[in-house]
Amino acid sequence: MNINELKQAYLNTNYTIIKNSIFKEELTLHINKVTNLKNALPELKEWAFITAWNPNSIPLTTEENKQRNAYLLDDIRSKGYASHLGRGSSEDGNWSEDSFFIENISKEEALFYALKYEQCAFVYGKANQVSELIWTTKCI
């Protein structure tokens, strides 16, 4: 996949927050669109959607990816961030990655974790604003 195809795949991905005690239904975030999170998280100021799966967009085994995500979850919990399980999936449903929706994390801190876990990009948003795809230096 060339870089333009990779970028388009990221833009077309469905970034879904898994149903839990706070999110009563699955909620899918889309790049360049506003998602109303106020009902579920009235105190939310900013957020990121990130994974540790498939560093540099190179597939690893499910076991390796789950271990990487466990390390990411330990990192974000140790900093006191609240998070929710998520899943990034392709439009056709042939590909998906377990992910995390992280509450009130700055763009800079999310970039730190994206770089640490060798991610090409992550999704970032602020309350009542469009979400954006933030590219790291790993793949572009």
Side-chain angles (χ1 to χ4, degrees), residues 5 34 62 79 94 138:
E5 292 171 328
V34 176
T62 300
K79 292 289 188 179
N94 289 332
K138 289 293 178 185

Side-chain angles (χ1 to χ4, degrees), residues 73-83 102-104 113:
L73 183 58
D74 286 347
D75 277 351
I76 59 180
R77 282 183 175 163
S78 73
K79 292 289 188 179
Y81 291 114
S83 65
I102 308 168
E103 297 180 31
N104 294 312
Y113 289 118

Side-chain angles (χ1 to χ4, degrees), residues 34-35 37 41-47 125-130:
V34 176
T35 303
L37 299 163
L41 299 168
E43 303 299 319
L44 186 69
K45 305 249 186 293
E46 58 188 333
W47 53 268
K126 290 187 176 183
N128 302 317
Q129 294 185 17
V130 297

Side-chain angles (χ1 to χ4, degrees), residues 7-20:
K7 286 182 177 183
Q8 197 59 52
Y10 274 77
L11 289 170
N12 294 339
T13 294
N14 294 311
Y15 300 94
T16 303
I17 304 169
I18 305 299
K19 178 181 172 181
N20 62 30

